[in-house]
Amino acid sequence: MLEVERLHKVYDGHGRSVEALRDLTFRVDAGELVCLVGPSGCGKTTLLKCVSGLLAPTSGTVTLEGRPVTGPPTGMAVVLQEYGRSLFPWLRVAANVELPLKEKKLPKSRRRDLVAQALDAVGLADAAAAYPWQLSGGMQQRVAIARAIAYEPHIMLMDEPFAAVDAQTRADLEDLIRRIWAEFSMTILFVTHDIDEAVYLGRRVVVLSSSPTVVQEDLEIDLPADRDQLTTRALPRFTELRGHVYEQIQKAKATTDV
Ligand code: ADP
Ligand code: MG
């Protein structure tokens, strides 16, 4: 589905250059839920921008479904951290969710069905006629997720989408992602700085080092597929995996040549 090969990104400008990504190689198979975890500032957002064709890498390639990515690809949806800025305040919730579908040139009745189905999936069927600013932060983020699902992407990229919501909402949204992933058999690449979240959500966790950034480890998460906030997080294996990822990140910090 997705292949990232020897990705290297240097930001240049104003006489200063920042090497955000040194050399990243990994792949995501169709139907996988992969979490990318790494410390703040290690280049996670830069990586997602390169993968989604918003930013050109300095060198290296991104291939999606066999085609090189050179601009925003069709079949991909992106959910960003700053949902507040990604929804249009003057459009009602349903209209916000419908917006990207207009570009797909789908008939109106089909668009309506997709919007209703997506809002239903995130538990916001009742909020269709509200404005985003009338909703809580967690609800706004669910609207952003609904908009991504309605688009029927082959792959969904998420950049720390729950960083700004409270712990309870965050747990609910994590379970929502697992449910959507199973229900719509989507491929998801989920970026987070939170080790617990990565281990809880992912079927695989790719650990990034701090800058200059490389893939520190690519880890299979062999927890049961049926996950639950209480029982899964209480498993000895969960604690083991979390400890392992934590150690890897510590190790990466110790070996960086800053
Ligand atoms: P993360 O999402 O993991 O927190 P980012 O990808 O946002 O990390 O940033 C990685 C590094 O690249 C940081 O050192 C950041 O300061 C730098 N950076 C990000 N965007 C730009 C930019 N547009 N110009 C220059 N440097 C940038
Ligand atoms: Mg970021």
Side-chain angles (χ1 to χ4, degrees):
M1 170 64 76
L2 175 70
E3 281 184 88
V4 174
E5 204 138 341
R6 310 223 59 174
L7 197 69
H8 177 62
K9 177 68 189 177
V10 178
Y11 288 105
D12 264 318
H14 310 289
R16 202 175 80 104
S17 86
V18 179
E19 184 184 32
L21 304 172
R22 172 154 291 181
D23 183 358
L24 285 186
T25 300
F26 64 92
R27 51 182 289 170
V28 179
D29 289 332
E32 272 198 305
L33 200 179
V34 175
C35 290
L36 273 167
V37 65
S40 290
C42 80
K44 301 182 297 297
T45 298
T46 301
L47 170 64
L48 280 201
K49 282 181 180 164
C50 290
V51 169
S52 57
L54 297 170
L55 196 64
T58 306
S59 66
T61 55
V62 177
T63 313
L64 183 73
E65 298 181 297
R67 285 192 218 107
V69 171
T70 50
T74 52
M76 177 183 278
V78 186
V79 177
L80 300 170
Q81 184 174 345
E82 306 106 357
Y83 48 83
R85 278 196 275 154
S86 79
L87 300 175
F88 293 106
W90 60 88
L91 292 180
R92 293 179 196 272
V93 163
N96 264 288
V97 174
E98 190 184 356
L99 203 61
L101 301 182
K102 294 192 167 162
E103 250 172 65
K104 277 192 159 180
K105 302 193 168 49
L106 296 171
K108 192 160 182 67
S109 62
R110 175 77 183 134
R111 293 205 305 259
R112 273 211 196 112
D113 288 348
L114 285 169
V115 170
Q117 188 194 356
L119 285 174
D120 200 40
V122 301
L124 282 181
D126 292 346
Y131 288 97
W133 44 268
Q134 294 174 314
L135 308 176
S136 70
M139 288 164 91
Q140 289 177 28
Q141 189 59 316
R142 279 191 279 156
V143 175
I145 295 167
R147 183 168 61 186
I149 308 170
Y151 187 71
E152 297 186 299
H154 302 166
I155 183 165
M156 183 155 76
L157 308 184
M158 307 185 90
D159 189 6
E160 307 205 41
F162 311 145
V165 295
D166 61 88
Q168 181 58 54
T169 308
R170 183 178 187 141
D172 292 345
L173 290 174
E174 287 167 3
D175 289 333
L176 174 68
I177 293 304
R178 294 270 318 169
R179 216 173 55 239
I180 287 167
W181 172 59
E183 191 176 325
F184 295 86
S185 54
M186 219 181 267
T187 309
I188 299 179
L189 183 59
F190 188 102
V191 164
T192 179
H193 66 265
D194 187 312
I195 296 170
D196 280 59
E197 182 165 80
V199 172
Y200 179 70
L201 277 181
R203 201 163 75 175
R204 241 174 75 213
V205 170
V206 175
V207 183
L208 302 180
S209 68
S210 47
S211 50
T213 306
V214 296
V215 172
Q216 177 79 10
E217 197 182 20
D218 195 330
L219 184 71
E220 194 84 27
I221 302 298
D222 52 4
L223 294 169
D226 216 355
R227 296 189 192 172
D228 168 275
Q229 293 286 349
L230 285 180
T231 50
T232 306
R233 287 179 191 267
L235 292 172
R237 184 64 183 147
F238 182 86
T239 313
E240 237 172 75
L241 287 163
R242 189 186 54 184
H244 179 79
V245 172
Y246 183 82
E247 263 173 27
Q248 288 300 313
I249 290 180
Q250 290 299 109
K251 205 164 101 189
K253 275 189 197 159
T255 54
T256 43
D257 55 18
V258 179

